Amino acid sequence: MSRRREEKLAERADRLAEEQAHREAAPGGAGPRPSGRRKGSRAAKAAARDLGADLAPGTEPTGAPAPAAPKGRSGKGKAPAKPKELFVPHRGWYGVGGGRVGYMDPPTMWRATTVQACGMWPFAAGSGSPMTGVPLGQHLFTGATVCGDPLSWFTRARYISNPSLFMLGMPGLGKSTLVNRMLIGLAATGVVPLVLGDLKPDYADTVRALGGQVISIGRGRGGINVLDPGAMGEAAAKIGGEAGEVLKAEAHGRVLNMVAALVTIVRGRPMDDHEQSVLSAVLHHLRERTPEGRTVLLPDVLRVLTEGPPRVRAVTLDRGDDARYRDAVDPLHRSLLGILDGPLGDTFASETSTRIDPNAPAVCIDISGIGEADTQLTAAAMLAAWSDGLGTVAASHALADAGLAPRRWFFTVLDELWRPLRAASGIVDRIDALTRLNRSLGLGDAKITHTLKDAEALGTDSDRAKARGFVERAGMVVCAGLPKTEMEDLGKVVGLSRREIELVSSWSSPPGWGVNGDNEEPPGRGRFLIKVGGRPGIPIKVAITDAERRLHNTNTRWTPNEDAVEQAAAQAAREVARAAQEGPLGPPGGPGADAAGRWTA
């Protein structure tokens, strides 16, 4: 007999003997009988026999001696035998068919911060998953916590050389939900999230919950004055001196590029070089002659072109000939009229409805009110939002360099990348510049799209090449469920193994046919593979909280309106009550029937 089983039997026998002794000591009993070790051993043996345990000859259960077996009322008889009880070992019986448990139960897992578990830190055994950054989820195979985001992996962990993230995946698998978690986590560390063009919107509610600023752009919602230097102008005036003049010059360049981008959208082709010179001269003329406190508007540019001051005429080489001057500026004049009187006029011809607050903890520019078919206004709003947002970033860094403000980092989100890329070629150039310069701008970014084929749908070869470069230069590449052919194409860029391709491809399959559809989800929802360089991918499973689910519901149009359902039910109840009060309809020919005796409503 094993020692462990012997100890269990002895403990059980001692406990039964003690219970019997206490019952005899109660009123009406004879009381416990003093006993020594031998008598205690005999009691233990008797109790063990009552349990049905077979002890080998000469073997006694171990443990402390128990009280002697009590006698009956006369003090001579034995206590009545206790019914036998089946003793089942904790892990079952040994032997064939014994039901023995062949593995150890895993210990309970607890999670705590270093503040809460300071006495246990550093842990004796660490995990193989990165623990720097925003908590994203659990490792799909080991269950270890996985943390990460582009800024933390660039600044603290030094895992990546470029603070950027590129995410691909089929619709409805949780791509924007994962980025939304990064946005919340980074905001808690002091990073400022910037959603410069929320197309659905997916992030407006989260930004509001963070105490940030949400700016709506669209017809009847709000507009942006593309000639307003915004935060850069305010920062230049505050800094002053040579540094302030440099910032003013940079603000002038941003305004010039923005107006040129609007003209490009209206024309469908870029501006000529001499037209940009004319536009720059007009902007300088307006800056010098506009009173302080008043911003310049697009109608002011048309007025200056009509007047033709000497500074503007000089760059047209008109040589005093008014006809030559008109020939030089008329194409630009017509394009600006097309902006003001066309589909963009209501949004860009007046003062900025709401300026970006440089001190806001988060900013979202909501352009979801623009129809999907209105590609011109979408492209213009995206370009204006990015110009204004990046100008705010530059102003913040200029103030920090001058010692007038603390240093702040920023995290930009560009969701549904395919839509702005197809809207205008200027977006491709702007994002391309951002992915190359974000290290110097103190800016991390996350770009989200569906497949690499979104880049192949662009109009020109140069735009397609630039879009493919977004993935190649990304510090982190995150894959949700994708078809196998798409994963093989992606593997040529980021280096995926055959096992990783098969794993991610399995996430793009729909649920089985036998599900009832109540709470079933696609097998790939919430599952992602994080790739960094040539390292093996990290598969994770993300489980969102109730707060995240309320703030980030991307299927709001498919969610039943509970208020409307309750109102409809209440209306039906009122109709039933009214019909009951009116009473039943009479028989045919009476009230409620027509002349022919037929029922009427």
Side-chain angles (χ1 to χ4, degrees), residues 5 62 64 77 109 167 192 198 206 226 234 253 266 283 289 297 322 409 416 430 447 492 495 505 534 550:
R5 186 181 180 188
T62 60
M109 182 173 60
M167 183 177 293
V192 181
D198 196 353
T206 300
V226 295
E234 296 177 357
V266 172
L283 294 177
R289 287 164 174 76
L297 302 175
D322 190 67
W409 293 342
E416 300 293 337
R430 189 168 296 277
K447 296 176 286 293
K492 300 175 182 177
S505 300
R550 288 192 300 269

Side-chain angles (χ1 to χ4, degrees), residues 559-571 574:
T559 303
N561 189 337
E562 296 180 359
D563 293 338
V565 172
E566 292 178 358
Q567 292 175 4
Q571 178 66 22
R574 287 193 295 269

Side-chain angles (χ1 to χ4, degrees), residues 47-48 54 72 118 139 151 172 200 239 241 280 298 316 366 369 402 419 435 442-443 501 509 552:
D54 296 329
C118 54
H139 196 286
L151 274 76
K200 286 187 177 180
I239 294 172
S280 178
L298 278 178
T316 62
D366 180 8
R419 187 175 171 190
T435 58
L443 186 72
I501 291 176
S509 303
H552 193 77

Side-chain angles (χ1 to χ4, degrees), residues 69 104 124 137 142 207 244 280 297 313 400 444 447 465 527 529:
M104 295 294 292
T142 66
V207 170
S280 178
L297 302 175
R313 286 179 175 270
K447 296 176 286 293
R527 289 171 169 80
L529 180 71

